Amino acid sequence: MVWGTIDSCSCISAGLPKTEANWQDVISDLKRIEDLIQSIHIDATLYTESDAHPNCKVTAMKCFLLELHVILHESRNEDIKETVGNLIILANSSLSSNGNVTESGCKECEELEEKNIKEFLQSFVHIVQMFINLP
Protein backbone atom coordinates (compact mmCIF):
# COMPACT_ATOMS: atom_id res chain seq x y z
CA MET A 1 0.00 0.00 0.00
CA VAL A 2 2.91 2.35 0.51
CA TRP A 3 3.62 2.47 -3.23
CA GLY A 4 0.17 4.02 -3.80
CA THR A 5 1.08 7.06 -1.73
CA ILE A 6 4.40 7.54 -3.48
CA ASP A 7 2.74 7.18 -6.86
CA SER A 8 0.14 9.87 -6.14
CA CYS A 9 2.84 12.28 -4.93
CA SER A 10 4.89 11.94 -8.10
CA CYS A 11 1.96 13.12 -10.21
CA ILE A 12 1.61 16.51 -8.55
CA SER A 13 4.55 18.16 -10.31
CA ALA A 14 3.81 16.40 -13.58
CA GLY A 15 0.73 18.55 -14.21
CA LEU A 16 2.40 21.43 -16.02
CA PRO A 17 5.60 21.59 -18.03
CA LYS A 18 8.15 23.57 -16.04
CA THR A 19 8.47 26.48 -18.48
CA GLU A 20 4.71 26.91 -18.69
CA ALA A 21 4.51 27.00 -14.90
CA ASN A 22 7.27 29.65 -14.87
CA TRP A 23 5.38 31.82 -17.39
CA GLN A 24 2.27 31.53 -15.20
CA ASP A 25 4.41 32.83 -12.31
CA VAL A 26 5.58 35.71 -14.51
CA ILE A 27 1.94 36.65 -15.18
CA SER A 28 1.20 36.46 -11.44
CA ASP A 29 4.07 38.87 -10.75
CA LEU A 30 2.86 41.23 -13.50
CA LYS A 31 -0.62 41.26 -11.95
CA ARG A 32 0.93 41.95 -8.53
CA ILE A 33 2.86 44.91 -9.96
CA GLU A 34 -0.38 46.20 -11.55
CA ASP A 35 -2.03 46.04 -8.12
CA LEU A 36 0.92 47.72 -6.40
CA ILE A 37 1.09 50.64 -8.83
CA GLN A 38 -2.57 51.47 -8.13
CA SER A 39 -1.51 52.91 -4.78
CA ILE A 40 1.61 54.79 -5.91
CA HIS A 41 2.41 57.10 -8.79
CA ILE A 42 5.07 55.95 -11.23
CA ASP A 43 5.61 58.53 -13.91
CA ALA A 44 7.61 56.34 -16.27
CA THR A 45 7.11 55.85 -19.97
CA LEU A 46 8.56 52.61 -21.22
CA TYR A 47 9.32 51.21 -24.65
CA THR A 48 6.40 48.89 -25.25
CA GLU A 49 5.85 46.26 -27.92
CA SER A 50 2.08 46.19 -28.25
CA ASP A 51 1.68 44.11 -31.40
CA ALA A 52 4.62 41.74 -31.67
CA HIS A 53 4.57 39.18 -34.42
CA PRO A 54 4.96 35.63 -33.03
CA ASN A 55 8.28 35.42 -34.90
CA CYS A 56 9.52 38.39 -32.81
CA LYS A 57 8.36 37.28 -29.36
CA VAL A 58 11.88 36.58 -28.00
CA THR A 59 13.09 40.00 -29.17
CA ALA A 60 10.01 41.63 -27.66
CA MET A 61 10.51 39.77 -24.37
CA LYS A 62 14.12 40.96 -24.18
CA CYS A 63 12.91 44.56 -24.60
CA PHE A 64 10.35 44.10 -21.83
CA LEU A 65 13.06 42.74 -19.55
CA LEU A 66 15.33 45.71 -20.28
CA GLU A 67 12.49 48.09 -19.43
CA LEU A 68 11.83 46.23 -16.17
CA HIS A 69 15.29 47.35 -15.06
CA VAL A 70 14.09 50.96 -15.51
CA ILE A 71 11.20 50.27 -13.12
CA LEU A 72 13.58 48.52 -10.73
CA HIS A 73 15.91 51.55 -10.61
CA GLU A 74 13.25 54.26 -10.57
CA SER A 75 10.87 52.77 -8.01
CA ARG A 76 11.33 53.58 -4.36
CA ASN A 77 8.69 51.06 -3.32
CA GLU A 78 10.30 47.94 -1.83
CA ASP A 79 7.38 45.65 -2.74
CA ILE A 80 7.61 46.70 -6.39
CA LYS A 81 11.41 46.35 -6.40
CA GLU A 82 11.20 42.86 -4.92
CA THR A 83 8.45 41.74 -7.32
CA VAL A 84 10.21 43.22 -10.38
CA GLY A 85 13.50 41.59 -9.33
CA ASN A 86 11.75 38.24 -8.98
CA LEU A 87 9.98 38.75 -12.30
CA ILE A 88 13.27 39.42 -14.11
CA ILE A 89 14.77 36.20 -12.72
CA LEU A 90 11.67 34.12 -13.57
CA ALA A 91 11.31 35.50 -17.09
CA ASN A 92 15.02 35.08 -17.84
CA SER A 93 14.97 31.47 -16.69
CA SER A 94 11.80 30.79 -18.71
CA LEU A 95 13.37 32.48 -21.71
CA SER A 96 16.69 30.66 -21.44
CA SER A 97 15.59 27.87 -23.79
CA ASN A 98 14.80 30.52 -26.45
CA GLY A 99 17.48 33.02 -25.42
CA ASN A 100 19.92 32.33 -28.24
CA VAL A 101 17.27 32.52 -30.95
CA THR A 102 18.03 35.18 -33.53
CA GLU A 103 14.92 36.77 -34.97
CA SER A 104 15.19 38.98 -38.02
CA GLY A 105 12.98 41.85 -39.09
CA CYS A 106 11.98 42.71 -35.51
CA LYS A 107 11.92 46.20 -34.06
CA GLU A 108 14.75 47.30 -31.79
CA CYS A 109 13.65 48.35 -28.30
CA GLU A 110 14.30 52.04 -29.03
CA GLU A 111 12.04 51.86 -32.08
CA LEU A 112 9.05 50.88 -29.97
CA GLU A 113 6.42 53.34 -28.84
CA GLU A 114 6.77 54.70 -25.31
CA LYS A 115 3.73 53.98 -23.18
CA ASN A 116 2.74 54.40 -19.55
CA ILE A 117 3.40 51.64 -17.07
CA LYS A 118 -0.18 50.34 -17.12
CA GLU A 119 -0.13 49.83 -20.90
CA PHE A 120 3.38 48.39 -20.63
CA LEU A 121 2.24 45.75 -18.12
CA GLN A 122 -0.83 44.82 -20.21
CA SER A 123 1.32 44.36 -23.32
CA PHE A 124 3.86 42.37 -21.29
CA VAL A 125 1.11 39.94 -20.21
CA HIS A 126 0.13 39.54 -23.87
CA ILE A 127 3.71 38.63 -24.87
CA VAL A 128 3.99 36.13 -22.00
CA GLN A 129 0.76 34.51 -23.21
CA MET A 130 2.42 34.04 -26.62
CA PHE A 131 5.08 31.91 -24.88
CA ILE A 132 2.49 29.92 -22.94
CA ASN A 133 0.44 29.19 -26.08
CA LEU A 134 3.34 27.82 -28.10
CA PRO A 135 2.21 25.44 -30.84
Coordinates of all heavy atoms in Angstrom, one line a residue, residues 41-134:
H41 N 2.3 56.5 -7.5 CA 2.4 57.1 -8.8 C 3.8 56.8 -9.4 O 4.8 57.2 -8.8 CB 2.2 58.6 -8.7 CG 2.2 59.3 -10.0 ND1 1.3 59.2 -10.9 CD2 3.1 60.2 -10.5 CE1 1.6 59.9 -12.0 NE2 2.7 60.5 -11.7
I42 N 3.8 56.1 -10.5 CA 5.1 56.0 -11.2 C 4.9 56.7 -12.5 O 4.0 56.3 -13.3 CB 5.4 54.5 -11.5 CG1 5.6 53.7 -10.2 CG2 6.6 54.3 -12.4 CD1 6.0 52.3 -10.3
D43 N 5.7 57.7 -12.7 CA 5.6 58.5 -13.9 C 6.6 58.1 -15.0 O 7.4 58.9 -15.5 CB 5.8 60.0 -13.5 CG 5.4 60.9 -14.6 OD1 4.6 60.6 -15.4 OD2 6.0 62.0 -14.7
A44 N 6.7 56.8 -15.3 CA 7.6 56.3 -16.3 C 6.9 56.0 -17.6 O 5.8 55.5 -17.6 CB 8.3 55.1 -15.7
T45 N 7.6 56.4 -18.7 CA 7.1 55.8 -20.0 C 8.2 54.8 -20.4 O 9.4 55.1 -20.3 CB 6.9 57.0 -21.0 OG1 8.2 57.7 -21.1 CG2 5.8 57.9 -20.6
L46 N 7.7 53.7 -20.9 CA 8.6 52.6 -21.2 C 8.4 52.2 -22.7 O 7.2 52.1 -23.1 CB 8.3 51.5 -20.3 CG 8.3 51.8 -18.8 CD1 7.5 50.9 -17.9 CD2 9.8 51.8 -18.3
Y47 N 9.4 51.8 -23.3 CA 9.3 51.2 -24.7 C 8.5 50.0 -24.6 O 8.7 49.1 -23.8 CB 10.7 50.9 -25.2 CG 11.6 52.1 -25.5 CD1 12.8 52.2 -24.9 CD2 11.2 53.0 -26.4 CE1 13.6 53.3 -25.1 CE2 11.9 54.2 -26.7 CZ 13.2 54.3 -26.0 OH 14.0 55.4 -26.3
T48 N 7.4 49.9 -25.4 CA 6.4 48.9 -25.2 C 6.1 48.3 -26.6 O 5.7 49.0 -27.5 CB 5.1 49.4 -24.6 OG1 5.4 50.0 -23.4 CG2 4.1 48.4 -24.4
E49 N 6.2 47.0 -26.7 CA 5.8 46.3 -27.9 C 4.4 45.8 -27.7 O 4.1 45.0 -26.9 CB 6.7 45.0 -28.1 CG 6.4 44.2 -29.3 CD 6.4 44.9 -30.6 OE1 7.5 44.9 -31.3 OE2 5.3 45.4 -31.0
S50 N 3.5 46.5 -28.5 CA 2.1 46.2 -28.3 C 1.5 45.3 -29.3 O 0.4 44.7 -29.1 CB 1.3 47.5 -28.2 OG 1.6 48.4 -29.2
D51 N 2.2 45.0 -30.4 CA 1.7 44.1 -31.4 C 2.8 43.3 -32.0 O 3.0 43.3 -33.2 CB 0.9 44.9 -32.5 CG 1.7 45.9 -33.2 OD1 2.8 46.2 -32.7 OD2 1.2 46.5 -34.2
A52 N 3.5 42.6 -31.2 CA 4.6 41.7 -31.7 C 4.1 40.6 -32.5 O 3.1 39.9 -32.2 CB 5.4 41.2 -30.5
H53 N 4.8 40.4 -33.6 CA 4.6 39.2 -34.4 C 5.1 38.0 -33.7 O 6.1 38.1 -33.0 CB 5.3 39.3 -35.8 CG 4.9 38.3 -36.7 ND1 5.5 37.1 -36.7 CD2 4.0 38.3 -37.7 CE1 5.0 36.3 -37.7 NE2 4.1 37.0 -38.3
P54 N 4.5 36.8 -33.7 CA 5.0 35.6 -33.0 C 6.4 35.3 -33.3 O 7.1 34.8 -32.5 CB 4.0 34.5 -33.5 CG 2.7 35.2 -33.8 CD 3.2 36.6 -34.4
N55 N 6.9 35.7 -34.6 CA 8.3 35.4 -34.9 C 9.2 36.4 -34.2 O 10.5 36.3 -34.4 CB 8.5 35.5 -36.4 CG 7.7 34.4 -37.1 OD1 7.4 33.4 -36.5 ND2 7.5 34.6 -38.4
C56 N 8.7 37.4 -33.5 CA 9.5 38.4 -32.8 C 9.3 38.3 -31.3 O 9.7 39.3 -30.6 CB 9.2 39.8 -33.3 SG 9.8 40.0 -35.0
K57 N 8.7 37.3 -30.8 CA 8.4 37.3 -29.4 C 9.6 37.3 -28.4 O 9.6 37.9 -27.4 CB 7.4 36.2 -29.0 CG 7.9 34.8 -29.1 CD 6.8 33.8 -28.8 CE 7.3 32.4 -28.9 NZ 7.5 31.9 -30.2
V58 N 10.7 36.6 -28.8 CA 11.9 36.6 -28.0 C 12.5 38.0 -28.0 O 12.9 38.5 -26.9 CB 12.9 35.5 -28.5 CG1 14.2 35.6 -27.7 CG2 12.3 34.1 -28.3
T59 N 12.6 38.6 -29.1 CA 13.1 40.0 -29.2 C 12.2 40.9 -28.3 O 12.8 41.7 -27.6 CB 13.1 40.5 -30.6 OG1 13.9 39.6 -31.4 CG2 13.7 41.9 -30.8
A60 N 10.9 40.8 -28.4 CA 10.0 41.6 -27.7 C 10.2 41.4 -26.2 O 10.2 42.3 -25.4 CB 8.6 41.4 -28.1
M61 N 10.3 40.1 -25.8 CA 10.5 39.8 -24.4 C 11.8 40.4 -23.8 O 11.8 40.9 -22.7 CB 10.5 38.2 -24.2 CG 10.7 37.8 -22.7 SD 9.5 38.4 -21.6 CE 8.0 37.5 -22.1
K62 N 12.9 40.4 -24.6 CA 14.1 41.0 -24.2 C 14.0 42.5 -24.0 O 14.5 43.0 -23.0 CB 15.2 40.7 -25.2 CG 15.7 39.2 -25.1 CD 16.7 38.9 -26.2 CE 17.1 37.4 -26.1 NZ 18.1 37.1 -27.1
C63 N 13.2 43.1 -24.8 CA 12.9 44.6 -24.6 C 12.1 44.8 -23.3 O 12.4 45.7 -22.5 CB 12.1 45.1 -25.8 SG 13.1 45.2 -27.3
F64 N 11.1 44.0 -23.1 CA 10.3 44.1 -21.8 C 11.3 43.9 -20.6 O 11.2 44.7 -19.6 CB 9.2 43.1 -21.8 CG 8.0 43.5 -22.5 CD1 7.6 42.9 -23.7 CD2 7.2 44.6 -22.0 CE1 6.5 43.4 -24.4 CE2 6.0 45.0 -22.7 CZ 5.7 44.4 -23.9
L65 N 12.2 43.0 -20.7 CA 13.1 42.7 -19.6 C 14.0 43.9 -19.3 O 14.3 44.3 -18.2 CB 13.8 41.4 -19.8 CG 13.0 40.2 -19.7 CD1 13.8 38.9 -20.1 CD2 12.4 40.0 -18.3
L66 N 14.5 44.5 -20.4 CA 15.3 45.7 -20.3 C 14.6 46.8 -19.6 O 15.1 47.5 -18.7 CB 15.8 46.2 -21.6 CG 17.0 45.4 -22.3 CD1 17.2 45.8 -23.7 CD2 18.2 45.5 -21.4
E67 N 13.3 47.0 -20.0 CA 12.5 48.1 -19.4 C 12.1 47.8 -18.0 O 12.0 48.8 -17.2 CB 11.2 48.3 -20.3 CG 11.5 48.9 -21.6 CD 12.2 50.2 -21.6 OE1 11.5 51.3 -21.4 OE2 13.4 50.3 -21.7
L68 N 12.1 46.5 -17.6 CA 11.8 46.2 -16.2 C 12.9 46.8 -15.3 O 12.7 47.2 -14.2 CB 11.7 44.7 -16.0 CG 10.4 44.1 -16.3 CD1 10.5 42.6 -16.1 CD2 9.2 44.7 -15.5
H69 N 14.2 46.8 -15.8 CA 15.3 47.4 -15.1 C 15.1 48.8 -14.8 O 15.5 49.3 -13.7 CB 16.6 47.1 -15.8 CG 17.1 45.7 -15.7 ND1 17.7 45.2 -14.6 CD2 16.9 44.7 -16.6 CE1 18.0 43.9 -14.9 NE2 17.5 43.5 -16.0
V70 N 14.4 49.5 -15.7 CA 14.1 51.0 -15.5 C 13.2 51.1 -14.3 O 13.4 51.9 -13.4 CB 13.4 51.6 -16.8 CG1 12.9 53.0 -16.5 CG2 14.4 51.6 -17.9
I71 N 12.1 50.2 -14.3 CA 11.2 50.3 -13.1 C 11.9 49.9 -11.8 O 11.8 50.6 -10.8 CB 10.0 49.3 -13.3 CG1 9.2 49.6 -14.5 CG2 9.1 49.2 -12.1 CD1 8.2 48.6 -15.0
L72 N 12.8 48.9 -11.9 CA 13.6 48.5 -10.7 C 14.4 49.7 -10.2 O 14.4 49.9 -9.0 CB 14.5 47.4 -11.1 CG 15.2 46.6 -10.0 CD1 14.1 45.9 -9.1 CD2 16.1 45.5 -10.6
H73 N 15.0 50.4 -11.1 CA 15.9 51.5 -10.6 C 15.1 52.8 -10.2 O 15.6 53.6 -9.4 CB 17.0 51.9 -11.7 CG 18.0 50.8 -11.8 ND1 18.8 50.4 -10.9 CD2 18.2 49.9 -12.9 CE1 19.6 49.4 -11.3 NE2 19.2 49.1 -12.5
E74 N 14.0 53.0 -10.8 CA 13.2 54.3 -10.6 C 12.3 54.1 -9.4 O 11.9 55.2 -8.8 CB 12.5 54.7 -11.8 CG 13.5 55.2 -12.9 CD 12.8 55.9 -14.0 OE1 11.6 56.1 -14.0 OE2 13.5 56.3 -15.0
S75 N 11.9 52.9 -9.1 CA 10.9 52.8 -8.0 C 11.5 52.9 -6.6 O 12.6 52.3 -6.4 CB 10.2 51.4 -8.1 OG 9.3 51.2 -7.1
R76 N 10.8 53.5 -5.7 CA 11.3 53.6 -4.4 C 10.5 52.6 -3.5 O 10.8 52.5 -2.3 CB 11.2 55.0 -3.8 CG 12.2 55.9 -4.5 CD 12.1 57.4 -4.0 NE 13.1 58.2 -4.6 CZ 13.1 58.7 -5.9 NH1 12.1 58.3 -6.7 NH2 14.0 59.5 -6.3
N77 N 9.5 52.0 -4.1 CA 8.7 51.1 -3.3 C 9.3 49.7 -3.2 O 9.6 49.1 -4.3 CB 7.3 51.0 -4.0 CG 6.4 50.1 -3.3 OD1 6.6 48.9 -3.2 ND2 5.3 50.6 -2.8
E78 N 9.6 49.2 -2.0 CA 10.3 47.9 -1.8 C 9.5 46.7 -2.4 O 10.1 45.8 -2.9 CB 10.7 47.7 -0.3 CG 11.8 48.6 0.1 CD 13.1 48.4 -0.7 OE1 13.5 47.3 -1.0 OE2 13.7 49.5 -1.1
D79 N 8.2 46.8 -2.2 CA 7.4 45.6 -2.7 C 7.5 45.6 -4.3 O 7.6 44.5 -4.8 CB 5.9 45.8 -2.4 CG 5.6 45.5 -0.9 OD1 6.5 44.8 -0.3 OD2 4.6 46.0 -0.4
I80 N 7.5 46.7 -4.9 CA 7.6 46.7 -6.4 C 9.0 46.2 -6.8 O 9.2 45.4 -7.7 CB 7.3 48.1 -7.0 CG1 5.8 48.4 -6.9 CG2 7.8 48.2 -8.4 CD1 5.3 49.7 -7.4
K81 N 10.0 46.8 -6.1 CA 11.4 46.3 -6.4 C 11.6 44.8 -6.3 O 12.2 44.2 -7.1 CB 12.4 47.1 -5.5 CG 12.6 48.5 -5.9 CD 13.6 49.1 -4.9 CE 14.5 50.0 -5.7 NZ 15.5 50.7 -5.0
E82 N 11.1 44.3 -5.2 CA 11.2 42.9 -4.9 C 10.5 42.1 -6.0 O 11.0 41.1 -6.5 CB 10.6 42.5 -3.5 CG 10.8 41.1 -3.1 CD 10.2 40.8 -1.8 OE1 10.3 41.7 -0.9 OE2 9.6 39.7 -1.6
T83 N 9.2 42.5 -6.3 CA 8.4 41.7 -7.3 C 9.1 41.8 -8.7 O 9.2 40.9 -9.4 CB 7.0 42.3 -7.4 OG1 6.5 42.2 -6.0 CG2 6.1 41.4 -8.3
V84 N 9.6 43.0 -9.1 CA 10.2 43.2 -10.4 C 11.5 42.4 -10.5 O 11.8 41.7 -11.5 CB 10.5 44.7 -10.7 CG1 11.4 44.9 -11.9 CG2 9.2 45.5 -10.9
G85 N 12.3 42.4 -9.4 CA 13.5 41.6 -9.3 C 13.2 40.1 -9.5 O 13.9 39.4 -10.3
N86 N 12.2 39.6 -8.8 CA 11.8 38.2 -9.0 C 11.3 38.0 -10.4 O 11.6 36.9 -11.0 CB 10.6 38.0 -8.0 CG 10.3 36.5 -7.9 OD1 11.1 35.6 -7.8 ND2 9.0 36.2 -8.0
L87 N 10.5 38.9 -11.0 CA 10.0 38.7 -12.3 C 11.1 38.6 -13.3 O 11.0 37.8 -14.2 CB 9.1 40.0 -12.6 CG 8.5 40.1 -14.0 CD1 7.6 38.9 -14.3 CD2 7.6 41.4 -14.0
I88 N 12.1 39.4 -13.2 CA 13.3 39.4 -14.1 C 13.9 38.0 -14.1 O 14.2 37.4 -15.1 CB 14.3 40.5 -13.8 CG1 13.7 41.9 -14.1 CG2 15.6 40.3 -14.5 CD1 14.5 43.1 -13.6
I89 N 14.2 37.5 -12.9 CA 14.8 36.2 -12.7 C 13.9 35.1 -13.4 O 14.4 34.3 -14.1 CB 15.1 35.9 -11.2 CG1 16.1 36.8 -10.7 CG2 15.5 34.4 -11.0 CD1 16.3 36.9 -9.2
L90 N 12.6 35.1 -13.0 CA 11.7 34.1 -13.6 C 11.6 34.2 -15.1 O 11.7 33.1 -15.8 CB 10.3 34.4 -13.0 CG 9.8 33.7 -11.7 CD1 8.5 34.3 -11.3 CD2 9.8 32.2 -11.9
A91 N 11.4 35.4 -15.6 CA 11.3 35.5 -17.1 C 12.6 35.1 -17.8 O 12.6 34.4 -18.8 CB 10.9 36.9 -17.5
N92 N 13.7 35.5 -17.2 CA 15.0 35.1 -17.8 C 15.2 33.6 -17.8 O 15.7 33.0 -18.8 CB 16.2 35.8 -17.1 CG 16.5 37.1 -17.7 OD1 16.4 37.3 -18.9 ND2 16.8 38.1 -16.8
S93 N 14.8 32.9 -16.7 CA 15.0 31.5 -16.7 C 14.0 30.8 -17.6 O 14.3 29.8 -18.3 CB 14.8 30.9 -15.3 OG 13.5 31.0 -14.8
S94 N 12.8 31.3 -17.8 CA 11.8 30.8 -18.7 C 12.2 31.0 -20.2 O 12.0 30.2 -21.0 CB 10.4 31.4 -18.5 OG 10.0 31.2 -17.2
L95 N 12.9 32.1 -20.4 CA 13.4 32.5 -21.7 C 14.6 31.7 -22.1 O 14.9 31.6 -23.3 CB 13.6 34.0 -21.8 CG 13.8 34.7 -23.1 CD1 12.6 34.5 -24.0 CD2 14.1 36.1 -22.9
S96 N 15.4 31.2 -21.2 CA 16.7 30.7 -21.4 C 16.7 29.6 -22.6 O 17.6 29.6 -23.3 CB 17.3 30.1 -20.2 OG 16.5 29.0 -19.7
S97 N 15.6 28.9 -22.7 CA 15.6 27.9 -23.8 C 15.5 28.6 -25.2 O 15.8 28.0 -26.2 CB 14.4 26.9 -23.6 OG 13.2 27.6 -23.5
N98 N 15.0 29.8 -25.2 CA 14.8 30.5 -26.5 C 15.8 31.7 -26.6 O 15.8 32.4 -27.6 CB 13.4 31.2 -26.5 CG 12.3 30.2 -26.4 OD1 12.0 29.8 -25.4 ND2 11.7 29.9 -27.6
G99 N 16.6 31.8 -25.5 CA 17.5 33.0 -25.4 C 18.5 33.2 -26.6 O 18.8 34.4 -26.9
N100 N 18.9 32.2 -27.2 CA 19.9 32.3 -28.2 C 19.3 32.4 -29.6 O 20.0 32.4 -30.6 CB 20.9 31.2 -28.2 CG 21.7 31.2 -26.9 OD1 22.0 32.3 -26.3 ND2 22.2 30.1 -26.4
V101 N 18.0 32.4 -29.7 CA 17.3 32.5 -30.9 C 17.5 33.9 -31.6 O 17.4 34.9 -30.9 CB 15.7 32.3 -30.7 CG1 15.0 32.6 -32.0 CG2 15.5 30.9 -30.2
T102 N 17.9 33.9 -32.8 CA 18.0 35.2 -33.5 C 16.8 35.4 -34.4 O 16.5 34.6 -35.3 CB 19.3 35.2 -34.4 OG1 20.4 34.8 -33.5 CG2 19.5 36.5 -35.0
E103 N 16.1 36.5 -34.2 CA 14.9 36.8 -35.0 C 15.2 38.0 -35.9 O 15.8 38.9 -35.4 CB 13.7 37.1 -34.1 CG 13.4 36.0 -33.1 CD 12.4 36.4 -32.0 OE1 12.5 37.5 -31.5 OE2 11.5 35.5 -31.7
S104 N 14.9 37.9 -37.1 CA 15.2 39.0 -38.0 C 13.9 39.7 -38.4 O 12.8 39.2 -38.3 CB 15.9 38.5 -39.3 OG 15.0 37.5 -39.9
G105 N 14.1 41.0 -38.7 CA 13.0 41.8 -39.1 C 12.2 42.4 -37.9 O 11.1 42.9 -38.1
C106 N 12.7 42.2 -36.7 CA 12.0 42.7 -35.5 C 12.5 44.1 -35.1 O 13.6 44.5 -35.4 CB 12.2 41.8 -34.3 SG 11.8 40.1 -34.7
K107 N 11.6 44.9 -34.5 CA 11.9 46.2 -34.1 C 12.9 46.2 -32.9 O 12.8 45.3 -32.0 CB 10.7 47.0 -33.6 CG 9.7 47.3 -34.7 CD 8.6 48.1 -34.1 CE 7.6 48.5 -35.2 NZ 6.5 49.3 -34.6
E108 N 13.9 47.1 -32.9 CA 14.8 47.3 -31.8 C 13.9 48.0 -30.7 O 13.0 48.6 -30.9 CB 15.9 48.2 -32.2 CG 16.8 47.7 -33.3 CD 17.6 46.5 -32.8 OE1 18.0 46.5 -31.6 OE2 17.8 45.5 -33.6
C109 N 14.4 47.8 -29.4 CA 13.6 48.3 -28.3 C 13.4 49.8 -28.5 O 12.3 50.3 -28.2 CB 14.4 48.1 -27.0 SG 14.7 46.4 -26.6
E110 N 14.4 50.6 -28.9 CA 14.3 52.0 -29.0 C 13.3 52.5 -30.1 O 12.9 53.6 -30.2 CB 15.7 52.7 -29.3 CG 16.6 52.5 -28.1 CD 17.3 51.1 -28.0 OE1 17.3 50.4 -29.1 OE2 17.7 50.7 -26.9
E111 N 13.0 51.5 -31.0 CA 12.0 51.9 -32.1 C 10.6 51.7 -31.6 O 9.7 52.1 -32.3 CB 12.3 50.9 -33.3 CG 13.6 51.1 -34.0 CD 13.8 50.1 -35.1 OE1 13.9 48.9 -34.8 OE2 13.7 50.5 -36.2
L112 N 10.4 51.1 -30.5 CA 9.1 50.9 -30.0 C 8.4 52.2 -29.4 O 9.2 53.1 -29.0 CB 9.1 49.8 -28.9 CG 9.6 48.4 -29.3 CD1 9.8 47.5 -28.1 CD2 8.7 47.8 -30.4
E113 N 7.1 52.2 -29.4 CA 6.4 53.3 -28.8 C 6.6 53.4 -27.3 O 6.6 52.3 -26.7 CB 4.9 53.2 -29.2 CG 4.1 54.5 -29.0 CD 2.7 54.3 -29.5 OE1 2.4 53.5 -30.3 OE2 1.9 55.1 -28.9
E114 N 6.7 54.6 -26.8 CA 6.8 54.7 -25.3 C 5.4 54.8 -24.8 O 4.6 55.6 -25.3 CB 7.6 55.9 -24.9 CG 9.1 55.7 -25.2 CD 9.9 56.9 -24.6 OE1 9.7 57.1 -23.4 OE2 10.7 57.4 -25.3
K115 N 5.1 54.0 -23.8 CA 3.7 54.0 -23.2 C 3.8 54.0 -21.7 O 4.9 53.7 -21.1 CB 3.0 52.7 -23.6 CG 2.8 52.7 -25.1 CD 1.8 51.7 -25.5 CE 1.5 51.8 -27.0 NZ 0.5 50.9 -27.5
N116 N 2.7 54.3 -21.0 CA 2.7 54.4 -19.6 C 2.8 53.0 -19.0 O 2.7 52.0 -19.7 CB 1.5 55.2 -19.0 CG 0.2 54.4 -19.2 OD1 0.1 53.2 -19.1 ND2 -0.8 55.2 -19.6
I117 N 3.1 52.9 -17.7 CA 3.4 51.6 -17.1 C 2.2 50.7 -17.1 O 2.4 49.5 -17.3 CB 3.9 51.8 -15.6 CG1 4.5 50.5 -15.1 CG2 2.8 52.4 -14.7 CD1 5.3 50.7 -13.9
K118 N 1.0 51.2 -17.1 CA -0.2 50.3 -17.1 C -0.3 49.6 -18.5 O -0.5 48.4 -18.5 CB -1.4 51.2 -16.9 CG -2.4 50.6 -16.0 CD -3.5 51.6 -15.7 CE -4.4 51.0 -14.6 NZ -5.0 51.9 -13.8
E119 N -0.1 50.4 -19.6 CA -0.1 49.8 -20.9 C 1.0 48.9 -21.1 O 0.9 47.8 -21.8 CB -0.1 50.9 -22.0 CG -1.4 51.8 -22.0 CD -1.2 52.9 -23.0 OE1 -0.5 53.9 -22.6 OE2 -1.8 52.8 -24.1
F120 N 2.2 49.2 -20.6 CA 3.4 48.4 -20.6 C 3.1 47.0 -20.0 O 3.4 46.0 -20.6 CB 4.5 49.1 -19.9 CG 5.8 48.2 -19.7 CD1 6.7 48.1 -20.7 CD2 6.0 47.6 -18.5 CE1 7.8 47.3 -20.5 CE2 7.1 46.8 -18.3 CZ 8.0 46.6 -19.3
L121 N 2.5 47.0 -18.8 CA 2.2 45.7 -18.1 C 1.2 44.9 -18.9 O 1.4 43.7 -19.0 CB 1.8 46.0 -16.7 CG 2.8 46.6 -15.8 CD1 2.2 47.1 -14.4 CD2 4.0 45.6 -15.5
Q122 N 0.2 45.6 -19.4 CA -0.8 44.8 -20.2 C -0.2 44.2 -21.5 O -0.5 43.0 -21.8 CB -2.0 45.8 -20.6 CG -2.8 46.2 -19.4 CD -3.8 47.3 -19.8 OE1 -3.7 48.0 -20.8 NE2 -4.7 47.6 -18.8
S123 N 0.7 44.9 -22.1 CA 1.3 44.4 -23.3 C 2.3 43.2 -22.9 O 2.4 42.3 -23.7 CB 2.1 45.5 -24.1 OG 1.2 46.4 -24.6
F124 N 2.9 43.4 -21.8 CA 3.9 42.4 -21.3 C 3.1 41.1 -21.1 O 3.6 40.0 -21.5 CB 4.5 42.9 -20.0 CG 5.8 42.2 -19.6 CD1 6.7 42.9 -18.8 CD2 6.1 40.9 -20.0 CE1 7.9 42.2 -18.5 CE2 7.2 40.2 -19.6 CZ 8.2 40.9 -18.8
V125 N 1.9 41.1 -20.4 CA 1.1 39.9 -20.2 C 0.8 39.3 -21.6 O 0.9 38.1 -21.7 CB -0.2 40.3 -19.4 CG1 -1.2 39.1 -19.5 CG2 0.1 40.7 -18.0
H126 N 0.5 40.1 -22.6 CA 0.1 39.5 -23.9 C 1.3 38.8 -24.5 O 1.1 37.7 -25.0 CB -0.3 40.7 -24.8 CG -0.6 40.2 -26.2 ND1 -1.7 39.5 -26.5 CD2 0.1 40.4 -27.3 CE1 -1.7 39.2 -27.8 NE2 -0.7 39.7 -28.3
I127 N 2.5 39.3 -24.3 CA 3.7 38.6 -24.9 C 4.0 37.3 -24.1 O 4.3 36.3 -24.7 CB 5.0 39.5 -24.8 CG1 4.8 40.8 -25.7 CG2 6.2 38.8 -25.1 CD1 4.8 40.5 -27.2
V128 N 3.8 37.3 -22.8 CA 4.0 36.1 -22.0 C 3.0 35.1 -22.5 O 3.4 33.9 -22.6 CB 3.9 36.4 -20.5 CG1 3.9 35.1 -19.7 CG2 5.0 37.3 -20.0
Q129 N 1.8 35.5 -22.7 CA 0.8 34.5 -23.2 C 1.2 33.9 -24.5 O 0.8 32.7 -24.8 CB -0.6 35.2 -23.3 CG -1.2 35.4 -21.9 CD -2.4 36.3 -21.9 OE1 -2.6 37.1 -22.8 NE2 -3.2 36.2 -20.8
M130 N 1.9 34.6 -25.4 CA 2.4 34.0 -26.6 C 3.4 32.9 -26.3 O 3.4 31.9 -27.1 CB 3.1 35.1 -27.5 CG 2.2 36.2 -28.0 SD 3.1 37.5 -28.8 CE 3.3 36.8 -30.5
F131 N 4.1 33.0 -25.3 CA 5.1 31.9 -24.9 C 4.3 30.7 -24.3 O 4.7 29.6 -24.5 CB 6.1 32.4 -23.9 CG 7.2 33.2 -24.5 CD1 7.1 34.6 -24.6 CD2 8.4 32.6 -25.0 CE1 8.2 35.3 -25.2 CE2 9.4 33.3 -25.6 CZ 9.3 34.6 -25.7
I132 N 3.3 31.0 -23.5 CA 2.5 29.9 -22.9 C 1.8 29.1 -24.0 O 1.7 27.9 -24.0 CB 1.5 30.5 -21.9 CG1 2.2 31.0 -20.7 CG2 0.5 29.4 -21.5 CD1 1.3 31.8 -19.7
N133 N 1.3 29.8 -25.0 CA 0.4 29.2 -26.1 C 1.3 28.7 -27.3 O 0.8 28.8 -28.4 CB -0.7 30.1 -26.5 CG -1.6 30.5 -25.4 OD1 -1.9 29.7 -24.6 ND2 -2.0 31.8 -25.4
L134 N 2.5 28.3 -27.0 CA 3.3 27.8 -28.1 C 2.7 26.6 -28.8 O 2.1 25.8 -28.1 CB 4.7 27.4 -27.6 CG 5.6 28.5 -27.1 CD1 6.9 27.9 -26.5 CD2 6.0 29.4 -28.3

